[in-house]
Amino acid sequence: MNLIPEIEKYIREVHEFKAKNPEDLEQFRIRFLGKKGIVPEFFKQFKEVPPEQKKEFGQHINQLKQLVQERVNTLRHSLKKHQTKHHYTDLTLPGDPFVPGSRHPLSIVRNEIISIFSRIGFTVSEGPEIEDDTHVFSKLNFPPDHPARDMQDTFFIEKDPDGESRHDVLLRTHTSSVQVRVMENQKPPIRTISPGRVFRNEAISPRAHCIFHQIEGLYIDTDVSFAQLKQTLYYFSRAFFGPETNVRFRPSYFPFTEPSAEMDITCMLCGGKGCNVCKYTGWLEILGCGMVDPNVLEFNGIDSEKYTGFAFGMGIERIAMLKYQINDLRLYFENDLRFLEQFSADF
Ligand code: DAH
């Protein structure tokens, strides 16, 4: 008895089979693969097949079995696809609500600051977060024993084989390092701002964090004056905090600027009358600034007889805290949606 022509007939049938619905398909599957189905029945007859036909019989029956399985899978898949299509063409269903994301408050503030400075010709430049002592300290005129280089402030990346920190590779502690990178690569006139992330080895609390963001500004040309610095920052403060804002400058010290100043703005919460945010002074400190120290120009290959410049640096977290009245720095880094969703109206 030769069963092969019969198996071939079934193979053709399987090839041609089409299922109208899942029930159809299930019946087809049971008819072939069910316990008493066509395929198991053939396997039972294997014993009676004469030895010289066993090999060919085996191959045919396996081919049939595999074919049925493949056919069932393909048809199942295409029935499902068909069903979903059907689902989407039901025009009476309500639409899926589209929830737009929101920008992070630090991005909103950074973008706004960039846009204000770009209106008066400042470009944006960036530098690496992993830096070296030269760019973060030496070429910014930090004396070798300056406390800012201290291990308590700076995260050093590499250690010597004996476990001692090596002081030449570190996480930048301020974006002033980008000033050095820009001066290395560009000739004056230079007019740029540099937003970026900075790192300091501080215990995390509502008022301090080991990661924060700054925006650095640098303007170098012939005849740049302190009056221009003041006017630039006055323009920025009014554009950002509102037209009623006043500024005042207090003398300060930074190694890379001479003279140096800190700038305060009118407290926007009380309009200068005094409240608990401004500690009843009417003023809020927002940035450090000054005329680029001639040493810094010279260290970076710029002729300090010919060129002068001004620089300033501000903390983005601080400015965002004032704008949105956020009282805990940790909120910026926790990615809590209840916090982030409150900024979806800004962009
Ligand atoms: N780099 C200073 C800091 O991190 C901020 C700063 C002060 C930047 C004065 C400047 C500047 O460019 O002129 O505290």
Side-chain angles (χ1 to χ4, degrees), residues 287-302:
L287 55 80
C289 59
M291 301 305 292
V292 179
D293 192 301
N295 278 345
V296 173
L297 296 174
E298 293 294 335
F299 289 157
N300 295 293
I302 292 175

Side-chain angles (χ1 to χ4, degrees), residues 237-270:
S237 310
R238 293 196 147 202
F240 191 90
F241 294 103
E244 304 300 315
T245 314
N246 271 321
V247 298
R248 75 172 185 187
F249 291 79
R250 285 176 291 103
S252 185
Y253 171 78
F254 300 103
F256 36 92
T257 43
E258 183 58 35
S260 306
E262 272 163 273
M263 188 182 86
D264 300 340
I265 55 163
T266 326
C267 175
M268 76 286 292
L269 295 172
C270 60

Side-chain angles (χ1 to χ4, degrees), residues 133 137-138 142-151 153-154 156 167:
D133 183 276
F137 299 125
S138 305
F142 279 81
D145 53 356
H146 194 280
R149 297 173 180 235
D150 198 304
M151 291 198 54
D153 280 319
T154 309
F156 295 97
H167 285 204

